[in-house]
């Protein structure tokens, strides 16, 4: 089946540091989405990407859709305590297919 | 802001029992989904639903599972005879026709004893 490889699995950083995480796949994606999940909650959409090469920002978050359409990264600048959580990449592989394929998640922990 | 709502937040059941998980998607959305997340693992697609029928399903979604839109607002997932391995968080999601961004509910934690 389709697989998204997300890395790193976990990150331990100091408040104020920048964060970078990425997802790669052997399959071509036509949509990349980045979600954040807090404990006991559902995934909340952070950024959506639709075109190869697209670079999109949402506040301190920036994400890019790789030009090969097989990868995407998410950067968080100047991290704050509320950035703690699990970040998931997700994508749609086939044009018109509805299902999202999720990465394994990156657990972000911030030391104040 | 419109949101997907799910009930109950936690369901405890005995193995072999039937459970129904309920969802109210965002009102103008046309596509509905169920995903599950086993503790500590990634989110996995179960089924998508459009125009009153299943449009796509995964290998996880076997004959024990069914979905229904019983009225204009609710979308349900039924597990006919629960197994221990069905214990997980179950997330409902919905999307509109145009952008197809899927918005998730807070989930129902299903515990099968």
């Amino acid at each position: 089946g389709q697989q998204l490889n997300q890395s790193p699995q976990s990150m331990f950083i100091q408040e104020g540091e920048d964060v970078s995480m990425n997802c790669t796949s052997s399959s071509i994606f036509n949509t990349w989405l980045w979600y954040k999940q807090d404990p006991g909650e559902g995934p909340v959409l952070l950024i959506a990407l639709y075109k190869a090469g697209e670079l999109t920002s949402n506040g301190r978050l920036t994400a890019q859709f790789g030009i090969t359409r097989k990868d995407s990264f998410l950067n968080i600048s100047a991290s704050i305590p509320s950035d703690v959580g699990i970040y998931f990449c997700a994508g749609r592989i086939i044009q018109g297919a509805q299902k999202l394929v999720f990465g394994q998640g990156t657990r972000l922990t911030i030391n104040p | 802001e419109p949101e997907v709502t799910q009930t109950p937040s936690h369901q405890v059941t005995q193995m072999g029992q039937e459970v129904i998980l309920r969802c109210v998607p965002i009102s103008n959305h046309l596509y509905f989904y169920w995903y599950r997340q086993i503790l500590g693992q990634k989110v996995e697609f179960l089924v998508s639903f459009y125009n009153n029928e299943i449009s796509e399903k995964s290998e996880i979604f076997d004959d024990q599972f069914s979905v229904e839109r019983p009225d204009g607002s609710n979308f349900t997932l039924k597990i006919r005879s629960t197994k221990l391995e069905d214990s997980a968080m179950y997330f409902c999601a919905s999307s509109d026709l145009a952008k197809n961004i899927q918005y998730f509910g807070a989930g129902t934690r299903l515990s099968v004893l």
Side-chain angles (χ1 to χ4, degrees):
Chain A
Q2 300 93 8
Q3 290 271 13
L4 280 183
N5 299 309
Q6 185 171 350
S7 64
Q9 286 189 327
S10 60
M11 301 183 74
F12 299 84
I13 63 169
Q14 296 294 123
E15 183 179 349
E17 287 185 16
D18 296 343
V19 172
S20 184
M21 59 192 78
N22 69 84
C23 278
T24 61
S25 176
S26 57
S27 301
I28 292 175
F29 283 72
N30 65 15
T31 304
W32 282 97
L33 305 169
W34 284 92
Y35 288 89
K36 179 175 182 269
Q37 185 179 28
D38 292 327
E41 300 290 328
V44 174
L45 182 70
L46 299 174
I47 292 180
L49 303 160
Y50 299 102
K51 298 178 185 177
E54 180 179 352
L55 182 71
T56 298
S57 294
N58 178 8
R60 293 177 297 106
L61 277 59
T62 302
Q64 184 160 31
F65 193 145
I67 56 173
T68 65
R69 299 171 69 187
K70 295 182 178 181
D71 63 308
S72 176
F73 71 74
L74 174 71
N75 289 339
I76 306 173
S77 63
S79 58
I80 61 177
S82 61
D83 291 335
V84 166
I86 302 177
Y87 292 80
F88 288 98
C89 61
R92 288 197 299 134
I93 290 180
I94 301 171
Q95 185 71 31
Q98 296 304 310
K99 75 173 185 182
L100 290 179
V101 177
F102 279 78
Q104 302 95 322
T106 296
R107 181 182 297 275
L108 179 62
T109 304
I110 298 176
N111 298 316
Chain B
E1 184 174 321
E3 60 180 18
V4 176
T5 57
Q6 290 185 242
T7 56
S9 56
H10 191 190
Q11 174 86 49
V12 182
T13 189
Q14 295 291 325
M15 188 170 58
Q17 295 295 306
E18 174 184 288
V19 295
I20 297 177
L21 310 182
R22 303 181 190 279
C23 170
V24 178
I26 294 173
S27 61
N28 64 337
H29 284 185
L30 301 176
Y31 292 83
F32 315 116
Y33 314 86
W34 284 101
Y35 291 80
R36 80 169 186 193
Q37 185 180 33
I38 295 171
L39 185 64
Q41 298 186 21
K42 66 180 179 181
V43 177
E44 299 175 290
F45 170 78
L46 292 178
V47 65
S48 60
F49 191 87
Y50 170 70
N51 199 26
N52 285 319
E53 61 184 23
I54 292 173
S55 50
E56 192 174 0
K57 63 181 181 179
S58 72
E59 60 274 11
I60 303 169
F61 193 87
D62 61 21
D63 292 344
Q64 294 296 317
F65 292 87
S66 62
V67 290
E68 191 178 28
R69 188 154 164 82
D71 53 45
S73 60
N74 290 284
F75 179 53
T76 62
L77 174 69
K78 182 191 293 187
I79 308 175
R80 190 167 54 194
S81 177
T82 50
K83 303 186 287 287
L84 294 176
E85 54 265 37
D86 293 328
S87 296
M89 283 289 286
Y90 287 81
F91 293 107
C92 174
S94 70
S95 64
D96 63 14
L97 186 57
K99 289 191 174 182
N100 203 26
I101 292 176
Q102 296 181 21
Y103 295 90
F104 285 75
T108 292
R109 179 174 297 284
L110 177 65
S111 299
V112 182
L113 306 179

